Amino acid sequence: MKLYPINVGNFKLDGGAMFGVVPKSIWNKTNPANKNNMIDIASRCLLIEDGNRLILIDTGMGTKQSERFFNYYYRWGTDSLDGALATHGFCREDVTDVFLTHLHFDHCGGCVQWNSDKTAYEIAFKNATFWSNEDHWKWATNPNKRERASFLTENIMPIEASGRLKHIPVPHKDILHNTSLGFDVFFANGHTDKQMIPMISYKGKTICFMADLLPTVGHISVPFVMGYDTRPLLTLDEKERFLKLAADKNYYLLLEHDAHNELITVKHTEKGVRLNNIHHFNNLF
């Protein structure tokens, strides 16, 4: 097995929305905002090369939306999905599986693209199976008013129409072992219903792809919860339990949305779990 973290694009989001009730005077120290209160956000995905399989975890927001849509998110930098794949010698046709932590547009938008004459949408990974879970799929396709703007029909329904959608079984416990994709999954319900956090055994370590359970280094403190979370009190509990486990077992946490910090470990302190070390994946593995 080989792992390749890939950045498929950068954008900006409102810092206040990203940190909920936490004052700017505090979060601005770790996630400095520009004059418009916007902070740097990455779309960091993960490629898993395992035998004949090439698994892509999340896809970023894609490129098919209108300029008006993208103007809300202030895209910056030159990173792209195709460029990131090519860096490691791959293309979209090589991807055999696309695993979606959840179906918010910045995590699954890259699954779908325009066809050649822009008359219809088509899946962007023609040889891939797409993985969600049934509970979250139902949640996303019948969205509540709070999340409706994040669950875009054009990102979701073409996947189902392709006939290539499969669901990970939802267990009674938090961690599902021995998925058919070769890694475990931690189910978290605070951000959105049945978000899936992959936990991958790699070279004697456990790599956890944190999605929106821990977006950036600045969110390690348990009360630092995004304003986007649908059940913030549940996020408090889930994040605290996960971070304690990560500190106990020295998990390596791969941050999907931190534009400047790729991989971290955490430790127990008198103030709770805090940052231990920041790593560069390629230097460590």
Side-chain angles (χ1 to χ4, degrees):
M1 178 189 287
K2 293 182 180 179
L3 301 186
Y4 311 97
I6 58 173
N7 194 333
V8 304
N10 300 299
F11 58 106
K12 292 182 182 288
L13 287 175
D14 183 87
M18 283 296 291
F19 284 91
V21 300
V22 179
K24 181 179 179 180
S25 59
I26 296 176
W27 60 253
N28 198 56
K29 296 175 183 177
T30 56
N31 298 72
N34 65 16
K35 64 181 180 180
N36 294 320
N37 212 49
M38 309 294 281
I39 65 173
D40 290 349
I41 298 293
S43 290
R44 182 175 292 110
C45 304
L46 181 63
L47 274 174
I48 305 173
E49 185 182 13
D50 191 9
N52 293 325
R53 266 184 154 161
L54 184 65
I55 303 167
L56 175 62
I57 299 179
D58 282 352
T59 65
M61 65 173 67
T63 59
K64 67 182 176 300
Q65 306 301 137
S66 67
E67 278 305 307
R68 180 180 179 184
F69 176 90
F70 287 125
N71 284 342
Y72 292 121
Y73 300 103
Y74 302 90
R75 291 182 297 171
W76 56 277
T78 59
D79 293 311
S80 68
L81 177 57
D82 289 317
L85 289 171
T87 296
H88 298 288
F90 302 117
C91 64
R92 293 177 189 236
E93 287 73 19
D94 296 322
V95 175
T96 61
D97 300 88
V98 176
F99 179 94
L100 300 167
T101 61
H102 59 297
L103 295 168
H104 287 167
F105 70 87
D106 55 318
H107 294 258
C108 76
C111 291
V112 177
Q113 63 189 9
W114 284 109
N115 63 8
S116 58
D117 55 4
K118 285 196 171 185
T119 57
Y121 295 118
E122 62 183 15
I123 57 171
F125 302 92
K126 298 185 181 351
N127 299 318
T129 298
F130 295 82
W131 297 89
S132 182
N133 67 76
E134 191 171 359
D135 289 7
H136 182 65
W137 191 268
K138 290 178 179 177
W139 180 273
T141 54
N142 186 26
N144 59 74
K145 292 180 180 179
R146 183 181 177 88
E147 287 184 279
R148 185 171 295 161
S150 293
F151 291 129
L152 305 181
T153 300
E154 60 268 31
N155 288 339
I156 299 173
M157 300 318 296
I159 298 174
E160 187 172 54
S162 73
R164 292 182 168 272
L165 175 65
K166 289 188 177 181
H167 290 306
I168 299 290
V170 178
H172 296 296
K173 296 181 180 181
D174 290 332
I175 296 177
L176 172 64
H177 295 281
N178 299 320
T179 70
S180 62
L181 294 171
F183 51 78
D184 299 341
V185 172
F186 179 91
F187 285 83
N189 297 290
H191 177 61
T192 187
D193 198 60
K194 299 299 184 295
Q195 177 184 202
M196 298 189 290
I197 307 299
M199 302 171 65
I200 304 149
S201 295
Y202 185 60
K203 295 187 177 181
K205 308 292 185 183
T206 298
I207 311 296
C208 304
F209 186 84
M210 295 308 296
D212 281 338
L213 182 59
L214 187 72
T216 76
V217 164
H219 290 85
I220 292 174
S221 181
V222 170
F224 289 27
V225 174
M226 291 189 292
Y228 300 112
D229 287 20
T230 60
R231 304 174 180 124
L233 295 181
L234 185 54
T235 296
L236 286 174
D237 177 63
E238 291 171 338
K239 188 167 74 166
E240 183 173 34
R241 286 188 288 119
F242 195 95
L243 289 177
K244 284 181 177 178
L245 185 65
D248 288 342
K249 295 185 176 294
N250 196 36
Y251 289 163
Y252 287 79
L253 311 182
L254 186 65
L255 304 177
E256 184 166 10
H257 284 319
D258 195 316
H260 307 291
N261 303 288
E262 183 180 45
L263 189 71
I264 65 169
T265 54
V266 293
K267 63 183 178 181
H268 293 288
T269 74
E270 293 181 355
K271 295 183 179 180
V273 175
R274 292 292 185 269
L275 177 68
N276 184 21
N277 286 307
I278 296 171
H279 304 275
H280 294 286
F281 191 93
N282 289 337
N283 292 342
L284 192 63
F285 296 102

